[in-house]
């Protein structure tokens, strides 16, 4: 008599794909992804004539340099992150009678009238070895200085904090009165 081979039952693999798909969706939905955060900066418009060399008077520039050891120089003197905001505010506050302060100009701004503006520019230069943490701290302090100036201007003219303004015209007026002038130079070995 011939031996009959015992038949092995087949596994139903049709539902395996469904289970795998459900597990994949479960892990995608429940997993949190790291979100990169950055600094919000509006870049300047492209230069129309790149050959043109822009000359800025030395008194109109506040030089902030950070080396690879995260040490800061402000206008050639050792600086501290804790005083950077106040130094920046003092620098960008218009002082027309001070020969050492940045130049000023009077500009007609809608809703504000004639406003005295500083021509001061904060020039930030980093070393390639500057830590990201120090870079962010400096950027935050510079942003705080300009934001506080905007807040003071908003309180003076509109009686509201800058962040509480809802009228787009008022926001634009304050932004024109306190322009954020931060120039970032190409990193190099300082």
């Amino acid at each position: 008599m011939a031996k009959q081979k015992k038949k092995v039952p087949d596994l139903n693999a049709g539902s395996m794909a469904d289970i795998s798909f459900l597990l994949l969706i479960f892990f995608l939905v429940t997993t949190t992804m790291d979100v990169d955060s950055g600094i919000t900066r509006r870049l300047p418009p492209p230069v129309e004539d790149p050959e043109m060399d822009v000359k800025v008077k030395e008194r109109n520039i506040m030089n902030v340099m950070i080396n690879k050891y995260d040490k800061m120089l402000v206008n050639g003197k050792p600086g501290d992150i804790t005083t950077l905001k106040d130094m920046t505010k003092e620098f960008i506050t218009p002082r027309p009678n001070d020969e050492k302060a940045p130049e000023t100009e009077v500009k007609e701004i809608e809703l504000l009238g004639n406003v005295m503006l500083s021509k001061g520019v904060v020039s930030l230069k980093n070393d390639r070895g500057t830590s990201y943490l120090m870079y962010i701290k400096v950027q935050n302090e510079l942003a705080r200085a300009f934001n506080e100036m905007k807040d003071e201007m908003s309180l003076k003219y509109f009686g509201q904090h800058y962040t509480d303004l809802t009228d787009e015209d008022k926001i634009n007026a304050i932004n024109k009165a306190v322009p954020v002038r931060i120039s970032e130079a190409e990193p190099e070995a300082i």
Side-chain angles (χ1 to χ4, degrees), residues 138-157:
V138 169
Q139 286 284 354
N140 282 342
E141 291 304 305
L142 294 176
R144 277 182 59 205
F146 284 97
N147 289 340
E148 282 186 16
M149 293 290 292
K150 288 180 181 188
D151 200 46
E152 291 168 8
M153 183 76 69
S154 180
L155 284 169
K156 177 181 175 183
Y157 284 95

Side-chain angles (χ1 to χ4, degrees), residues 67-146:
N67 68 13
K68 65 182 175 183
Y69 304 108
D70 292 343
K71 300 294 181 194
M72 185 170 48
L73 287 177
V74 179
N75 291 330
K77 298 176 184 161
D80 186 16
I81 194 74
T82 59
T83 60
L84 183 61
K85 176 193 61 103
D86 293 329
M87 290 174 73
T88 305
K89 276 181 68 175
E90 182 182 337
F91 175 76
I92 60 176
T93 300
R95 295 182 312 248
N97 298 327
D98 187 351
E99 291 294 319
K100 294 181 181 179
E103 295 174 309
T104 58
E105 65 180 338
V106 176
K107 190 173 181 182
E108 173 77 26
I109 299 176
E110 191 175 332
L111 299 178
L112 303 180
N114 287 333
V115 178
M116 183 159 306
L117 304 176
S118 171
K119 291 185 178 181
V121 176
V122 178
S123 174
L124 176 60
K125 194 170 198 175
N126 299 291
D127 184 275
R128 292 192 190 281
T130 302
S131 73
Y132 191 68
L133 179 64
M134 182 61 168
Y135 175 78
I136 294 296
K137 284 181 181 179
V138 169
Q139 286 284 354
N140 282 342
E141 291 304 305
L142 294 176
R144 277 182 59 205
F146 284 97

Side-chain angles (χ1 to χ4, degrees), residues 3-11:
K3 281 187 172 180
Q4 278 188 331
K5 286 189 171 180
K6 198 173 190 181
K7 210 173 185 186
V8 178
D10 290 333
L11 289 175

Side-chain angles (χ1 to χ4, degrees), residues 111-112 147 149-176:
L111 299 178
L112 303 180
N147 289 340
M149 293 290 292
K150 288 180 181 188
D151 200 46
E152 291 168 8
M153 183 76 69
S154 180
L155 284 169
K156 177 181 175 183
Y157 284 95
F158 304 123
Q160 287 182 291
H161 290 281
Y162 177 73
T163 54
D164 295 337
L165 291 177
T166 55
D167 184 0
E168 200 66 35
D169 292 334
K170 290 180 179 179
I171 293 170
N172 289 335
I174 296 297
N175 287 337
K176 286 178 184 175

